[in-house]
Amino acid sequence: MFFRRLNWNVVGWFRTVSAISYAIIFAGLLFMGYHWVKDGSPLRLGLSFTGGTDLTIKYSKPVTKDALAAALAKIGVTDARINTLSKPGEPLGERWTIETQHDFGNNSAPLNAALDSVGPRTDKDREASAISTVGPSLSQEYLLNAIKALVIAIAIQFLYVAFRFGWNLIFGWVCVVALVRDSLMMIGIYAVAGRRVDDAFLAAVLTVIGYSIMDTIVILDRIRENVKLMDGKPFDTIVNTSILQTMTRSVNTLATVVITLVALLAFGGASLQNRSEERRVGKECRSR
């Protein structure tokens, strides 16, 4: 109820907020063009979309990331993402996860030999290790299915909003424009930051679409109610009042998401933080 009593001109911020969002989208498009020219793809795709090798390796004694990077560089792997993965009671540095776009599915002997040269591994350690590969054909199919999922999600939500507001298509188009803009902002930030997109990225985009459509529907529904209750007042005033009336709910929803994300960032481990380790590893290997 706090925001209802504020005399904020939220509608008056429209041009400024829109300019910021479109600047982020424009910057994202520029960087996507840069990545397209440099890497052949608008975004830096992860293993799920490009194919490659993902493995977990266990050692009897702690080893360093530098040693792993140097061993991988000897077999031509300079794009690896190397993260530590320790279980409760295990010393840090005994268990690691490695991702590379090199496909070792048919011949993993060079990879195993390189990793064995880093430190001792017992038979029990080898049993605790695991290697999986994603072939190019499977990754392309996964990418197409991901695009289909996004298109289907947007189409279904457009139809739902149109039905919810008595098949008034303008409401549906407003929601679609809002969620497309929000999604493009997130994709643009990923492109500017140069982060790899993977399964978690796809889930995040779908989550953004869900929250965007939910907030937009709530505001539009309140606008529809206030048009009757505030008959005769300027439409900008009706919209501004409707936004302030629903802002408490939006802030509370955002707060729950932020708390969850902070917890994941603090306690989720390196695999959930989408670190661009491969750039630093590649640089270290080349410097050697």
Side-chain angles (χ1 to χ4, degrees):
M1 305 298 289
F2 169 75
F3 294 99
R4 290 173 179 256
R5 298 190 294 268
L6 297 178
N7 191 26
W8 288 354
N9 183 16
V10 180
V11 175
W13 304 341
F14 174 76
R15 293 184 182 276
T16 301
V17 174
S18 296
I20 294 173
S21 64
Y22 291 132
I24 294 174
I25 294 173
F26 181 71
L29 292 174
L30 289 180
F31 274 85
M32 281 190 278
Y34 168 76
H35 290 306
W36 184 281
V37 173
K38 180 181 178 182
D39 305 322
S41 174
L43 294 172
R44 302 183 69 241
L45 301 178
L47 297 187
S48 300
F49 301 110
T50 62
T53 304
D54 181 10
L55 68 144
T56 301
I57 186 167
K58 173 71 168 59
Y59 288 96
S60 301
K61 296 180 179 180
V63 300
T64 64
K65 181 182 292 186
D66 292 343
L68 288 169
L72 292 172
K74 292 178 180 178
I75 58 174
V77 178
T78 59
D79 68 333
R81 296 178 61 189
I82 306 175
N83 292 308
T84 184
L85 178 67
S86 59
K87 292 185 177 181
E90 278 187 0
L92 190 66
E94 286 189 356
R95 192 184 301 268
W96 297 84
T97 61
I98 301 174
E99 294 182 6
T100 173
Q101 293 183 354
H102 286 69
D103 187 0
F104 291 97
N106 296 326
N107 184 19
S108 59
L111 178 62
N112 289 324
L115 295 175
D116 287 342
S117 66
V118 176
R121 299 174 64 198
T122 65
D123 291 339
K124 187 176 181 180
D125 294 331
R126 296 181 187 278
E127 292 178 359
S129 303
I131 181 171
S132 61
T133 60
V134 179
S137 60
L138 181 61
S139 62
Q140 291 297 322
E141 180 181 356
Y142 189 87
L143 178 60
L144 291 175
N145 289 337
I147 295 174
K148 291 178 183 178
L150 290 175
V151 173
I152 291 173
I154 293 175
I156 291 177
Q157 293 189 60
F158 169 76
L159 293 175
Y160 169 76
V161 173
F163 167 75
R164 178 69 174 78
F165 289 93
W167 295 109
N168 190 339
L169 298 184
I170 188 62
F171 287 99
W173 285 117
V174 168
C175 290
V176 169
V177 170
L179 66 88
V180 168
R181 185 197 62 181
D182 293 341
S183 301
L184 287 178
M185 286 179 62
M186 177 182 170
I187 295 172
I189 292 173
Y190 257 76
V192 172
R195 300 288 186 175
R196 287 194 182 277
V197 299
D198 49 18
D199 301 355
F201 169 80
L202 178 60
V205 173
L206 293 174
T207 301
V208 167
I209 290 176
Y211 276 106
S212 175
I213 199 73
M214 181 174 61
D215 285 339
T216 306
I217 287 176
V218 171
I219 294 173
L220 290 179
D221 192 56
R222 185 56 58 90
I223 291 174
R224 184 176 61 174
E225 294 176 357
N226 286 336
V227 166
K228 301 176 182 177
L229 298 175
M230 303 172 63
D231 188 25
K233 291 190 176 183
F235 188 69
D236 287 354
T237 302
I238 296 175
V239 172
N240 196 78
T241 301
S242 301
I243 294 174
L244 292 176
Q245 289 176 348
T246 58
M247 189 172 291
T248 298
R249 172 203 163 278
S250 299
V251 170
N252 290 340
T253 303
L254 177 62
T256 60
V257 176
V258 170
I259 291 172
T260 303
L261 292 178
V262 170
L264 289 173
L265 182 64
F267 307 109
S271 60
L272 294 180
Q273 296 175 12
N274 200 350
R275 296 174 180 172
S276 296
E277 297 286 352
E278 69 279 4
R279 290 184 174 180
R280 186 168 66 84
V281 169
K283 184 177 180 181
E284 291 174 352
C285 294
R286 287 190 293 272
S287 64
R288 291 175 183 271

